[in-house]
């Protein structure tokens, strides 16, 4: 998410950054939306101030028994009260329009990122090793040819179970996949300083929004219908108690929707009782009750009932552990002394691959379900660039210890991910395909995700907070690592040698053969 204040202060730089992404200028339209929002806020404040002043003047007029003046003032107050809901609606609509527009704009690249259109303009930074000799094999086989010949990789039964882009691994290959994941996690936790996390693989809208999978890339995700909060678990007494507390606090008068939103967000963030709901639900329910002209108490009762009546909410299967790991710091203020925070997790990941028709239709390169070891760092703005280089080296070390030939490339502006300011891809050599394929992507996102999550940090001697900077990377994709090991360690007889570093995880086994 971009800072509208920064856009207002330097619209030219913002549009230049978008141009490097191949996008049209947006600063002028964004500033116009912000002006509409700010104007509505100002008009609402003026109306509230005048209403309060007029209310006091009514008392004074009554005290001096000036009935005519008091009646005129009462009419003015009534008019102001009648106009305020419209002003609140204008402010809300302009705010939502601005937030929606900002949410769909990608991050801006760093100055040192190469301008380009696609992967052909990426820049190789370094490479490690050389293609293996493979015992004189003239035509190396691809991983699916090796796996099927061994009888340990079954795409046919997977298709019967789940459809295309799934696989069933068996026996020694299933164990090799598990060994790779355990090896990576051990390396990152014992030598690279990452804390292992076992996160949920089902997350809410807010988490997906925070890392920028939503709303732009909804078609690539897997939504799952499920219960966030069973209606029976939302205690009506607790809800009513909160209604009474807020009614006592504000009295029976109508208050602004902006203040209502603030109070609702306070309740959500503090997790009072079982009264929790997300930003989308908040906006939806507020829209539903915004026409009410009754007291705040009545409006809140309507809102409470709608929450009680709502039975289902949506989960998302995570596309990567970046989502839950990065969101560990959402809506929090972290002591800068604790930074950087470094997290790792090995999880299942799920991607719809909506735009992948016809690409990598055979084998395990592009699957709907796969395993990956993720790396996430939370840093101060000053440390982010150095942390990016460090994270990339950590991912590279996995491939070095596996003895795989790979190269590191810096992505150009046209090939970077939506949330990234700079990205390195690690591309491993696959003899069966005779080319490099991506196995890891390490990105620094600046404060782009932190603004969406409201994740901040504060130094002990600082008066103000600032947004943290977030980074994420694959450390590495387990399925693609399995592919790389199979193809780079294949033997002339169709067996697969096991890299030395993995043998302790394989019970000392040195190779996988057909009998396995």
């Amino acid at each position: 998410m971009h800072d509208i204040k920064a856009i207002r202060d330097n619209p030219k730089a913002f549009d230049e950054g978008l141009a490097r992404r191949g996008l049209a200028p947006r600063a002028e339209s964004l500033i116009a939306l912000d002006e509409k929002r700010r104007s509505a806020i100002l008009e609402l404040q003026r109306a509230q101030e005048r209403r309060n002043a007029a209310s006091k003047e009514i008392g004074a007029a009554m005290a001096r028994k000036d009935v005519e003046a008091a009646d005129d003032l009462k009419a003015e107050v009534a008019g102001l009260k009648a106009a305020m809901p419209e002003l609140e609606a204008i402010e809300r609509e302009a705010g939502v329009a601005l937030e929606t527009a900002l949410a769909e704009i990608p991050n801006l690249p760093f100055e040192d990122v190469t301008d380009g259109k696609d992967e052909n303009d990426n820049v190789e930074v370094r490479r490690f090793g050389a293609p293996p000799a493979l015992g004189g094999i003239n035509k190396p086989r691809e991983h699916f040819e090796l796996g099927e010949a061994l009888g340990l990789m079954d795409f046919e039964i997977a298709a019967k179970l789940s459809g295309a882009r799934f696989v069933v691994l068996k026996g020694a290959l299933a164990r090799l996949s598990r060994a790779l994941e355990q090896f990576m996690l051990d390396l990152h936790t014992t030598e690279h300083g990452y804390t292992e996390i076992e996160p949920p693989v089902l997350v809410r809208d807010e988490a997906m929004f925070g890392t920028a999978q939503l709303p732009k890339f909804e078609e690539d995700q897997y939504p799952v219908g499920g219960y966030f909060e069973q209606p029976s678990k939302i205690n009506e007494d607790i809800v009513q108690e909160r209604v009474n507390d807020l009614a006592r606090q504000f009295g029976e008068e109508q208050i602004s929707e902006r203040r209502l939103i603030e109070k609702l967000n306070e309740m959500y963030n503090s997790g009072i009782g079982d009264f929790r709901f997300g930003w989308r639900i908040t906006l939806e329910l507020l829209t539903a009750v915004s026409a009410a002209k009754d007291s705040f108490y009545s409006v809140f009762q309507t809102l409470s009932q709608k929450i009680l009546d709502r039975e289902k909410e949506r989960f998302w299967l995570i596309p990567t552990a970046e989502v839950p790991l990065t969101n560990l710091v959402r809506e929090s203020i972290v002591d800068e002394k604790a930074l950087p925070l470094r997290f790792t997790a090995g999880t299942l990941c799920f991607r719809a691959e909506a735009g992948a028709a016809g690409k990598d239709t055979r084998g395990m390169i592009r699957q709907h379900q796969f395993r990956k070891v993720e790396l996430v760092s939370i840093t101060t703005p000053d440390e982010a660039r150095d942390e990016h280089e460090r994270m990339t080296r950590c991912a590279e070390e996995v491939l070095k210890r596996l003895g795989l030939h790979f190269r590191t490339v810096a992505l150009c502006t046209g090939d970077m991910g939506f949330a990234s300011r700079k990205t390195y891809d690690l591309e491993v050599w696959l003899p069966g395909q005779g080319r490099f394929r991506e196995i890891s992507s390490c990105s620094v996102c600046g404060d782009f995700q932190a603004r969406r999550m409201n994740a901040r940090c504060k130094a002990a001697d600082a008066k103000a907070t600032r947004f943290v900077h977030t980074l994420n990377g694959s450390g590495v994709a387990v399925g693609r690592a399995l592919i790389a090991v199979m193809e780079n360690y294949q033997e002339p007889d169709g067996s697969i040698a096991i890299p030395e570093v993995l043998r302790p995880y394989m019970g000392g086994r040195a190779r996988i053969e057909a009998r396995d």
Side-chain angles (χ1 to χ4, degrees):
M1 185 78 79
H2 294 284
D3 180 8
I4 187 61
K5 183 179 183 300
I7 297 172
R8 291 176 64 90
D9 291 344
N10 200 340
K12 182 180 178 182
F14 182 75
D15 284 342
E16 287 174 349
L18 292 181
R20 296 183 64 202
R21 284 274 202 170
L23 299 174
R26 295 290 301 274
E28 183 177 352
S29 62
L30 292 170
I31 292 172
L33 285 173
D34 190 42
E35 287 288 357
K36 185 177 181 180
R37 181 185 65 87
R38 288 154 63 96
S39 176
I41 291 173
L42 182 60
E43 287 298 314
L44 184 59
Q45 289 175 341
R46 287 173 177 168
Q48 289 171 333
E49 290 170 0
R50 179 54 196 154
R51 183 196 63 182
N52 294 337
S55 296
K56 292 181 180 179
E57 290 173 14
I58 290 172
M62 294 296 289
R64 63 176 184 268
K65 298 182 179 181
D66 189 342
V67 177
E68 183 177 353
D71 289 343
D72 289 342
L73 289 167
K74 288 178 181 178
E76 182 183 2
V77 168
L80 289 168
K81 284 186 175 181
M84 285 171 64
E86 182 178 352
L87 292 173
E88 290 168 352
I90 293 172
E91 177 197 347
R92 182 180 65 253
E93 290 169 8
V96 170
L98 178 61
E99 292 294 311
T100 300
L102 288 171
E104 294 181 347
I105 299 173
N107 209 346
L108 304 184
F110 282 138
E111 296 77 7
D112 61 344
V113 174
T114 301
D115 290 344
K117 293 183 178 180
D118 53 36
E119 61 183 11
N120 296 313
D121 296 319
N122 295 340
V123 178
E124 183 174 322
V125 177
R126 53 186 171 265
R127 65 172 60 193
F128 174 83
L134 297 179
I137 299 174
N138 292 325
K139 187 179 179 182
R141 286 188 278 184
E142 292 195 53
H143 68 282
F144 52 84
E145 297 173 305
L146 292 162
E148 288 176 330
L150 289 168
L152 303 177
M153 186 177 285
D154 197 326
F155 296 96
E156 184 177 345
I157 191 64
K160 291 179 181 178
L161 294 172
S162 306
R165 299 191 188 277
F166 291 90
V167 67
V168 171
L169 297 178
K170 303 176 182 179
L173 273 189
R175 185 171 184 178
L176 182 59
S177 175
R178 175 160 52 91
L180 281 162
E181 183 172 327
Q182 289 179 318
F183 155 68
M184 295 176 202
L185 289 170
D186 286 349
L187 175 63
H188 294 316
T189 56
T190 62
E191 297 188 34
H192 295 159
Y194 288 86
T195 299
E196 185 174 357
I197 304 292
E198 185 174 331
V201 297
L202 290 170
V203 295
R204 299 176 183 234
D205 283 14
E206 296 94 330
M208 294 285 276
F209 178 83
T211 45
Q213 276 75 26
L214 292 181
K216 184 73 172 177
F217 303 103
E218 183 169 344
E219 67 174 7
D220 291 322
Q221 316 306 327
Y222 279 114
V224 180
Y227 292 98
F228 278 147
E229 304 281 355
Q230 294 280 2
S232 60
K233 293 182 180 178
I234 301 179
N235 189 310
E236 292 192 50
D237 292 336
I238 293 176
V239 174
Q240 192 62 53
E241 181 183 338
R242 301 309 301 164
V243 171
N244 293 337
D245 287 346
L246 292 170
R248 283 193 294 270
Q249 182 176 346
F250 291 105
E252 293 297 319
E253 64 178 303
Q254 174 79 33
I255 68 166
S256 73
E257 280 196 43
R258 185 160 60 88
R259 186 64 180 131
L260 177 57
I261 291 173
E262 290 173 359
K263 294 304 297 182
L264 293 173
N265 281 332
E266 286 175 19
M267 292 177 68
Y268 169 64
N269 293 335
S270 61
I272 294 173
D274 289 311
F275 194 96
R276 304 174 195 148
F277 48 93
W279 62 275
R280 282 193 174 185
I281 304 168
T282 303
L283 290 175
E284 178 184 332
L285 293 176
L286 284 173
T287 301
V289 301
S290 62
K293 296 296 190 294
D294 296 331
S295 67
F296 166 74
Y297 185 88
S298 299
V299 171
F300 202 88
Q301 279 188 314
T302 303
L303 181 59
S304 305
Q305 190 57 52
K306 285 186 176 291
I307 294 169
L308 291 170
D309 291 342
R310 193 179 185 99
E311 293 186 353
K312 279 190 176 181
E313 290 307 330
R314 183 171 54 179
F315 289 110
W316 298 91
L317 289 168
I318 61 170
T320 163
E322 170 199 347
V323 177
L325 294 185
T326 308
N327 276 276
L328 290 176
V329 295
R330 71 173 294 110
E331 296 171 356
S332 64
I333 300 175
V334 183
D335 186 344
E336 288 193 10
K337 289 181 180 179
L339 299 178
L341 296 173
R342 298 183 178 115
F343 305 123
T344 186
T347 67
L348 282 169
C349 305
F350 304 87
R351 293 183 188 171
E353 298 289 353
K359 297 179 182 177
D360 299 305
T361 54
R362 291 207 67 189
M364 290 179 59
I365 288 287
R366 201 179 295 272
Q367 298 258 284
H368 290 311
Q369 173 187 302
F370 56 95
R371 299 198 70 87
K372 183 155 69 78
V373 171
E374 186 73 10
L375 305 175
V376 161
S377 294
I378 311 296
T379 75
T380 64
D382 318 306
E383 297 173 321
R385 296 295 293 268
D386 288 341
E387 185 69 14
H388 187 215
E389 299 296 327
R390 180 190 186 278
M391 175 181 284
T392 304
R393 297 286 188 182
C394 290
E396 289 175 342
E397 188 62 25
V398 172
L399 304 183
K400 288 180 180 180
R401 300 215 185 172
L402 291 172
L404 298 172
H405 176 41
F406 70 93
R407 66 178 184 177
T408 302
V409 298
L411 301 194
C412 70
T413 54
D415 199 31
M416 291 196 316
F418 182 82
S420 174
R421 298 207 70 183
K422 184 175 182 178
T423 298
Y424 290 121
D425 270 7
L426 308 188
E427 298 179 348
V428 68
W429 178 256
L430 297 183
Q433 293 191 11
R435 60 173 175 147
F436 289 102
R437 295 301 302 265
E438 177 200 338
I439 194 170
S440 172
S441 189
C442 298
S443 299
V444 55
C445 301
D447 63 2
F448 187 80
Q449 293 176 324
R451 288 182 178 278
R452 300 167 81 100
M453 299 185 301
N454 193 23
R456 293 166 289 161
C457 60
K458 186 177 184 296
D461 58 349
K463 293 183 179 179
T465 61
R466 52 180 178 168
F467 287 104
V468 299
H469 280 206
T470 62
L471 303 93
N472 63 81
S474 304
V476 296
V478 176
R480 293 198 177 189
L482 177 66
I483 291 169
V485 167
M486 291 175 67
E487 293 194 13
N488 282 276
Y489 284 87
Q490 61 182 290
E491 301 284 356
D493 64 358
S495 63
I496 299 167
I498 297 172
E500 287 280 354
V501 74
L502 296 179
R503 292 180 186 178
Y505 298 92
M506 295 290 292
R509 180 175 298 187
R511 71 180 55 249
I512 297 174
E513 302 172 302
R515 62 182 175 82
D516 296 319

